[in-house]
Amino acid sequence: MVMASVKQQAERERVAYTSHSFFPPLHKSPRSPFFADSTSIHFVFIPLSVPFLDLCFLSKLRLHRFLLPRSSITCRPVTFLKSSGAIRGDRNRDERRFYMSPPIETPNKVPVSYHHTPHPPLNERILSSLTRRSVAAHPWHDLEIGPEAPKIFNCVVEIGKGSKVKYELDKKTGLIKVDRVLYSSVVYPHNYGFIPRTICEDSDPMDVLVIMQEPVLPGCFLRAKAIGLMPMIDQGEKDDKIIAVCADDPEYRHYNDIKELPPHRLAEIRRFFEDYKKNENKEVAVNDFLPASTAYEAIKHSMRLYADYIVESLRR
């Protein structure tokens, strides 16, 4: 009988607690040191059936525990927070609100360190390039010469207009490297580069001097239109240069033959190639400029030599 009455009393208190009809019973000694600070965090027994607890009580009162049946309770921490003051009729600014914390999971967890993060995996492309020693693209072999060759073709710029640095293509890597700084006090009068997928007797691609308004960065390519040929002998070897204009420069794209250029412009070009190796004790001879038709034939010849070079390389 005693146990039954106790259970009934606990059930009545639990129903009243969940419906907020009255404040739960307090400890017999509210002046206990355990409740000296009204902002302390207490641990109470909360029924599993109650998802949200919103109790309001005056600051003079102290909450100790709820008498609930053992079969329907579990121990969870409840956080003690100040409310906005507008709870159940805004009785008092010192009213408090209880919020039920999420359930505590107790599986074995691996401790997480916030000081040491794992290293990201290496890039697969980097690994493949290290193993196969491949490059993304080679400007000499991978860049097409263009559908309008030999009249209009792609040109890879190695040296920009006004530069004293002699850049050139590194045949092994496909990169533009610094060969040297010119020994003479001269600069390149125009952008200088080569035609992709061509080769000459000196085993280098066909050289091109492109006349245009602005300097171009080394490694870029542009569309050029051949207007003539400059025959040149460099240290006893044939080293002809194609004279071209930028096909997309509005100031020069209307030129079709080298005879249309001002004579002084041709004199500057000739003088540069005659002098730029003098301080290196190297002899360079420049002959008379030839028309555009000769330039077309030279480009076609270099294209045929390149095709033979590729076929021979495949046979090897």
Side-chain angles (χ1 to χ4, degrees):
M1 293 293 293
V2 175
M3 292 298 296
S5 61
V6 171
K7 290 183 178 180
Q8 291 175 0
Q9 178 66 21
E11 180 65 18
R12 286 196 297 270
E13 292 178 351
R14 186 179 68 83
V15 172
Y17 148 71
T18 56
S19 61
H20 306 288
S21 60
F22 78 109
F23 294 108
L26 303 177
H27 194 268
K28 291 184 178 180
S29 65
R31 297 185 179 274
S32 172
F34 182 77
F35 296 99
D37 184 6
S38 61
T39 61
S40 302
I41 297 177
H42 307 294
F43 288 86
V44 298
F45 290 97
I46 298 176
L48 288 174
S49 61
V50 182
F52 177 76
L53 178 62
D54 186 8
L55 278 181
C56 303
F57 57 94
L58 301 178
S59 59
K60 294 182 180 180
L61 301 179
R62 302 294 185 266
L63 176 65
H64 183 204
R65 64 186 175 184
F66 301 108
L67 301 176
L68 301 175
R70 290 178 179 270
S71 60
S72 61
I73 60 175
T74 183
C75 183
R76 295 180 184 175
V78 176
T79 309
F80 211 41
L81 301 175
K82 285 188 176 183
S83 70
S84 61
I87 302 175
R88 291 179 59 84
D90 196 9
R91 293 175 184 159
N92 196 313
R93 289 283 179 177
D94 292 332
E95 291 178 352
R96 305 292 188 264
R97 175 180 292 184
F98 280 89
Y99 291 96
M100 182 183 297
S101 64
I104 300 177
E105 299 179 2
T106 57
N108 296 329
K109 294 183 178 181
V110 179
V112 179
S113 176
Y114 296 95
H115 301 287
H116 303 284
T117 57
H119 295 287
L122 291 177
N123 192 310
E124 296 181 358
R125 184 175 180 180
I126 297 177
L127 292 175
S128 62
S129 65
L130 291 175
T131 55
R132 293 187 286 111
R133 292 184 174 273
S134 61
V135 294
H138 199 293
W140 185 11
H141 306 295
D142 295 333
L143 179 63
E144 295 182 356
I145 190 173
E148 300 178 73
K151 183 178 181 180
I152 298 177
F153 49 85
N154 289 326
C155 171
V156 179
V157 176
E158 294 174 295
I159 307 168
K161 175 183 178 181
S163 175
K164 194 179 179 180
V165 180
K166 175 66 169 68
Y167 301 96
E168 68 177 23
L169 174 71
D170 182 60
K171 298 177 183 178
K172 182 178 181 181
T173 62
L175 301 176
I176 304 296
K177 69 175 183 180
V178 176
D179 180 63
R180 67 186 184 279
V181 177
L182 297 182
Y183 284 56
S184 301
S185 183
V186 292
V187 296
Y188 277 81
H190 298 284
N191 296 303
Y192 183 85
F194 65 90
I195 305 176
R197 297 187 179 181
T198 60
I199 195 171
C200 299
E201 287 78 3
D202 59 356
S203 299
D204 291 335
M206 175 68 76
D207 297 324
V208 186
L209 187 72
V210 183
I211 301 173
M212 56 187 300
Q213 298 182 67
E214 299 295 328
V216 177
L217 295 176
C220 297
F221 74 95
L222 51 84
R223 292 196 317 134
K225 180 168 69 171
I227 62 172
L229 177 71
M230 184 184 71
M232 192 175 86
I233 305 298
D234 187 356
Q235 302 178 77
E237 295 183 0
K238 184 179 179 181
D239 193 12
D240 295 344
K241 314 292 184 186
I242 298 294
I243 305 300
V245 295
C246 180
D248 299 301
D249 190 328
E251 185 174 342
Y252 290 96
R253 65 184 179 186
H254 65 278
Y255 286 94
N256 296 312
D257 195 86
I258 198 168
K259 295 179 180 179
E260 300 174 8
L261 291 176
H264 182 71
R265 180 63 57 85
L266 298 178
E268 284 183 340
I269 296 173
R270 178 195 291 267
R271 191 66 179 180
F272 168 77
F273 284 101
E274 289 176 344
D275 293 345
Y276 83 121
K277 288 187 177 182
K278 275 193 173 181
N279 286 346
E280 300 177 60
N281 298 320
K282 297 178 180 178
E283 294 183 2
V284 176
V286 179
N287 298 324
D288 293 336
F289 293 93
L290 300 177
S293 58
T294 308
Y296 301 157
E297 293 299 326
I299 295 173
K300 288 181 180 179
H301 179 64
S302 64
M303 293 170 65
R304 287 192 294 266
L305 290 179
Y306 180 81
D308 296 339
Y309 166 76
I310 292 300
V311 171
E312 185 64 26
S313 299
L314 293 175
R315 288 177 179 174
R316 294 177 184 177

